[in-house]
Amino acid sequence: MNPEHGPLMLWIEGIVALVIALAFVLHAFIAFKPEHVEHHPARVRIGAAIQGLTIGLMIGFVVVPLRMQYMDVIDPRAAPGLSTLSFLPALLMLIAIRRGALLKAPVLKTYLRAYRRASLLKARDDAEKALAKLDKIEGRGAAA
């Protein structure tokens, strides 16, 4: 370990990435009903793990060290301006990943598309339920 730099705490970033990936997989197990899963359920869960791990790695290895640097945990002598340079590219990459940039990846696309389809079907069902509740509150009937 270089004494000029603070301690390298990669285990924190790794745990953050794994917890986020695990949260995606648990969400795929709990939230998706059989009518949401048009492919094999294992494909959806593998896709959830890949999506969660990708987002978790971005958060764990970019956002967490940035936050730790900002809090002067890593090295109080380091210039915080240098660590903030990675924030904008990381934010843009998270947005691109969330919008489906990985859906064309050669090996991963089958799993990611299965997960994306299941999540979109669930979102559609949730929106339909919310609209039905709103219609009931507003007093709209089937004739309206």
Side-chain angles (χ1 to χ4, degrees):
M1 181 168 71
N2 189 349
E4 294 176 10
H5 299 289
L8 193 62
M9 297 182 286
L10 292 178
W11 61 274
I12 294 173
E13 290 92 343
I15 289 174
V16 168
L18 290 176
V19 165
I20 291 173
L22 182 63
F24 270 73
V25 173
L26 286 175
H27 179 262
F29 268 105
I30 296 169
F32 296 149
K33 296 177 183 171
E35 58 266 17
H36 300 141
V37 180
E38 291 182 352
H39 298 278
H40 193 276
R43 281 187 181 177
V44 174
R45 293 175 187 132
I46 292 170
I50 294 168
Q51 182 84 9
L53 188 61
T54 306
I55 291 174
L57 288 171
M58 290 297 297
I59 291 172
F61 286 95
V62 176
V63 177
V64 170
L66 177 66
R67 178 69 177 147
M68 289 170 58
Q69 180 69 35
Y70 184 72
M71 294 172 48
D72 292 336
V73 173
I74 295 177
D75 188 5
R77 298 173 309 232
L82 293 176
S83 63
T84 59
L85 292 176
S86 64
F87 180 72
L88 185 59
L91 180 65
L92 293 174
M93 286 179 70
L94 281 171
I95 291 170
I97 289 168
R98 182 65 190 123
R99 295 198 44 105
L102 294 177
L103 294 177
K104 295 180 182 176
V107 176
L108 308 176
K109 66 182 174 186
T110 304
Y111 305 108
L112 290 172
R113 287 179 183 173
Y115 172 70
R116 181 82 168 152
R117 176 170 285 288
S119 64
L120 288 173
L121 289 173
K122 181 182 179 342
R124 183 185 66 188
D125 287 351
D126 291 345
E128 288 174 356
K129 287 178 187 176
L131 283 171
K133 284 182 185 179
L134 186 60
D135 286 345
K136 185 177 178 182
I137 291 171
E138 291 177 346
R140 294 185 186 196

